Amino acid sequence: MTGSRHVVIGAGLAGASVAWRLAQAGHEVTVLERDVPANAQGSSHGSARIFRHAYPSRLYTEMVVRAEAGWEELHESSGVQALTLTGAVDHGALRRPTALAEVLEACGVAHELLSGAEARRRWPMFAFETEVLWDPGAGVVDPEAAVQAMLDLAREAGAHVETGWEVGRVERTRTGHRLTSTDGRICEAGELIVCAGGWLPQLLSELPLPAGFLPASHAVEVRQEQAFHFPYRGGAGEAAAWPTFIHSSADITVYGLPGGRDAGHAGQKVAEFNGGRVIPSAAAQDGRVDEANRRRVTGFVAEFLPGVEPAPYAETTCLFTNTASEDFLIDRYERLTVVSPCSGHGAKFAPLIGELALAAVTGEGEVPREFRVV
């Protein structure tokens, strides 16, 4: 039997950040990971996630600014450079570049608003039909590097990380919670913090939470998404010239970024946002790429990305965990805190997620009301 004052379920970006911030603040912490940290069955594997400031809501843009300080702290404390700046372009009628620019202006974030013609001259590898927002402080997060760096710092501060520890049952006790693994091991927790990502829906029924804890706005949905890597026409040497991007129109919402080591640094990673099928939980993923989704993304690439060959040389599936409102879920009930910084757009906030969870657990600090469910 093991035990800890604070037990974190999950060692992806959220769980690693929570462990880092709890241990950093002097708390006893144990992390229970069903596999290994940042494993390929979760949402925190690989080398490429978008970091951007452009949101239609000041709440999230201001949080990105706060998260920037956390990425700098992680680099200074660990020596790991998990965030690389590339800049970002946002375009398409439904992306509303002008409205995004107004939010960045209000938040004091450097940016430019360009005509389509101006943007095409600057980035000839793109085709633009609308105005374009340029965010020079955007970039790419390496989730695997970030997870390992945060866990290393947590361990240095006294945290313990258990791998191959899959939670099968959670029971409330007089002093907290008793966790039983699927192979019969026991762990006693004073405070339990659940950062299970795409496994959360499967685990929710085992958590001692009241009926209706998650209202409709925070109901958790998991999708098996797919991403495709398209080769740069000029070869891998062009990777450094490519920004990240988001395009949204009435037909499709697509995002892309330099693919990094996930596909040999040779192309742009492109995917349709929420274009995959809904699955009950991460346990139901099968790794099969949807052919209709491949056709939609390839069609977009042929029309809007002249700088790549319109045939993918690599493809993969991944998990998005979303709420109906697309807001995060960070709330506490009787020594149990649920943390779901939805993987559709949560990776960029990783260092800050631990700070927010620490505030929820200790009551010292604020969690945005949008993230609370009660």
Side-chain angles (χ1 to χ4, degrees), residues 16-361:
S17 179
V18 172
W20 173 31
R21 295 308 193 185
L22 282 169
Q24 184 184 53
H27 297 288
E28 181 187 35
V29 184
T30 294
V31 180
L32 304 179
E33 166 54 49
R34 67 183 308 279
D35 195 307
V36 295
N39 68 83
Q41 297 301 304
S43 296
S44 299
H45 64 285
S47 64
R49 300 291 186 277
I50 289 178
F51 178 89
R52 60 183 169 88
H53 298 90
Y55 275 90
S57 162
R58 284 192 63 166
L59 168 65
Y60 285 99
T61 294
E62 289 170 348
M63 284 177 52
V64 176
V65 174
R66 292 175 61 188
E68 279 184 296
W71 289 113
E72 292 174 6
E73 179 188 353
L74 183 65
H75 180 211
E76 292 172 359
S77 299
S78 68
V80 175
Q81 184 67 64
L83 171 61
T84 301
L85 298 186
T86 63
V89 291
D90 291 80
H91 62 111
L94 294 189
R95 189 61 183 155
R96 302 180 63 207
T98 300
L100 293 175
E102 290 173 355
V103 175
L104 297 192
E105 182 69 26
C107 295
V109 176
H111 65 282
E112 289 183 72
L113 190 62
L114 307 170
S115 70
E118 291 174 314
R120 283 192 295 274
R121 285 193 292 271
R122 191 178 297 188
W123 299 285
M125 66 281 276
F126 288 89
F128 300 111
E129 293 184 335
T130 66
E131 288 185 310
V132 177
L133 175 70
W134 168 239
D135 173 6
V140 177
V141 168
D142 184 330
E144 286 185 12
V147 166
Q148 297 301 335
M150 290 188 289
L151 288 179
D152 285 346
L153 291 174
R155 291 187 184 97
E156 290 176 12
H160 180 63
V161 179
E162 291 272 0
T163 59
W165 215 107
E166 182 177 3
V167 176
R169 186 168 69 252
V170 181
E171 303 166 278
R172 185 177 291 115
T173 66
R174 183 178 59 82
T175 58
H177 297 87
R178 175 176 293 113
L179 288 74
T180 304
S181 70
T182 52
D183 59 6
R185 287 172 287 173
I186 303 294
C187 180
E188 300 284 349
E191 290 277 350
L192 180 60
I193 304 95
V194 180
C195 305
W199 303 92
L200 180 59
Q202 179 175 310
L203 189 58
L204 277 172
S205 62
E206 297 296 332
L207 299 177
L209 292 168
F213 175 76
L214 292 184
S217 64
H218 282 81
V220 177
E221 176 188 85
V222 179
R223 285 179 181 267
Q224 179 174 279
E225 300 286 83
Q226 37 263 310
F228 307 90
H229 295 261
F230 294 87
Y232 300 123
R233 288 191 185 275
E238 289 190 350
W242 279 75
T244 72
F245 74 87
I246 297 178
H247 166 96
S248 185
S249 67
D251 297 323
I252 194 169
T253 295
V254 177
Y255 63 91
L257 63 163
R261 66 175 180 276
D262 290 354
H265 301 273
Q268 195 79 348
K269 175 182 175 181
V270 184
E272 179 181 3
F273 180 72
N274 278 344
R277 65 186 180 90
V278 176
I279 58 176
S281 81
Q285 60 188 314
D286 59 13
R288 296 180 181 176
V289 173
D290 176 64
E291 292 185 10
N293 184 261
R294 185 192 294 113
R295 287 195 298 271
R296 290 196 300 273
V297 173
T298 300
F300 169 87
V301 167
E303 183 175 0
F304 288 99
L305 295 181
V308 299
E309 299 288 348
Y313 69 95
E315 57 189 26
T316 188
T317 61
C318 59
L319 293 178
F320 272 20
T321 308
N322 299 310
T323 63
S325 67
E326 295 188 8
D327 286 318
F328 298 163
L329 167 59
I330 303 177
D331 210 351
R332 181 174 182 265
Y333 175 80
E334 294 186 356
R335 299 183 181 179
L336 193 161
T337 303
V338 178
V339 179
S340 182
C342 307
S343 58
H345 68 117
K348 66 182 72 63
F349 300 100
L352 178 60
I353 296 303
E355 295 180 31
L356 297 176
L358 177 64
V361 171

